Short mmCIF file of all heavy atoms in Angstrom, two decimals:
data_model
loop_
_atom_site.label_atom_id
_atom_site.label_comp_id
_atom_site.label_asym_id
_atom_site.label_seq_id
_atom_site.Cartn_x
_atom_site.Cartn_y
_atom_site.Cartn_z
N GLN A 52 179.88 127.67 93.45
CA GLN A 52 179.23 127.24 92.21
C GLN A 52 178.68 125.83 92.36
O GLN A 52 179.29 124.97 92.99
CB GLN A 52 180.21 127.30 91.03
CG GLN A 52 179.55 127.00 89.69
CD GLN A 52 180.39 127.45 88.53
OE1 GLN A 52 181.03 128.51 88.57
NE2 GLN A 52 180.42 126.67 87.47
N LYS A 59 185.09 116.43 90.59
CA LYS A 59 186.35 116.11 91.25
C LYS A 59 187.08 117.38 91.66
O LYS A 59 187.26 118.29 90.86
CB LYS A 59 187.23 115.27 90.33
CG LYS A 59 186.66 113.90 90.00
CD LYS A 59 187.57 113.13 89.06
CE LYS A 59 187.00 111.75 88.76
NZ LYS A 59 187.87 110.97 87.83
N ALA A 156 177.58 120.15 68.60
CA ALA A 156 176.39 120.98 68.44
C ALA A 156 176.10 121.24 66.97
O ALA A 156 174.95 121.28 66.53
CB ALA A 156 176.56 122.30 69.19
N LYS A 281 147.12 144.92 74.74
CA LYS A 281 146.39 144.26 75.82
C LYS A 281 145.78 145.27 76.79
O LYS A 281 144.66 145.08 77.27
CB LYS A 281 147.31 143.29 76.56
CG LYS A 281 147.70 142.09 75.71
CD LYS A 281 148.51 141.08 76.51
CE LYS A 281 148.79 139.85 75.68
NZ LYS A 281 149.54 138.83 76.44
N SER A 306 157.65 142.57 92.11
CA SER A 306 158.33 142.92 90.87
C SER A 306 157.61 142.42 89.62
O SER A 306 158.24 142.12 88.61
CB SER A 306 159.78 142.41 90.88
OG SER A 306 160.47 142.90 92.00
N ILE A 360 142.52 146.24 107.01
CA ILE A 360 141.42 145.74 106.18
C ILE A 360 140.10 146.42 106.54
O ILE A 360 139.30 146.75 105.67
CB ILE A 360 141.32 144.21 106.32
CG1 ILE A 360 142.57 143.56 105.74
CG2 ILE A 360 140.07 143.68 105.62
CD1 ILE A 360 142.63 142.06 105.92
N ARG A 388 150.99 155.80 109.62
CA ARG A 388 150.02 156.33 108.66
C ARG A 388 149.77 157.80 108.99
O ARG A 388 149.60 158.17 110.16
CB ARG A 388 148.74 155.51 108.74
CG ARG A 388 147.92 155.54 107.47
CD ARG A 388 146.92 154.41 107.41
NE ARG A 388 146.07 154.35 108.58
CZ ARG A 388 145.74 153.23 109.21
NH1 ARG A 388 146.20 152.07 108.79
NH2 ARG A 388 144.95 153.26 110.26
N GLY A 407 147.91 146.52 94.58
CA GLY A 407 148.57 146.01 95.78
C GLY A 407 148.72 144.51 95.70
O GLY A 407 147.94 143.83 95.03
N LYS A 424 133.40 144.83 90.79
CA LYS A 424 134.86 144.66 90.79
C LYS A 424 135.33 143.93 89.54
O LYS A 424 134.69 143.00 89.07
CB LYS A 424 135.30 143.85 92.02
CG LYS A 424 134.99 144.51 93.35
CD LYS A 424 135.51 143.68 94.51
CE LYS A 424 134.68 142.45 94.77
NZ LYS A 424 135.01 141.81 96.08
#
Side-chain angles (χ1 to χ4, degrees):
Q52 186 163 321
K59 295 180 179 179
K281 291 185 176 182
S306 304
I360 294 175
R388 205 162 53 222
K424 298 183 286 192

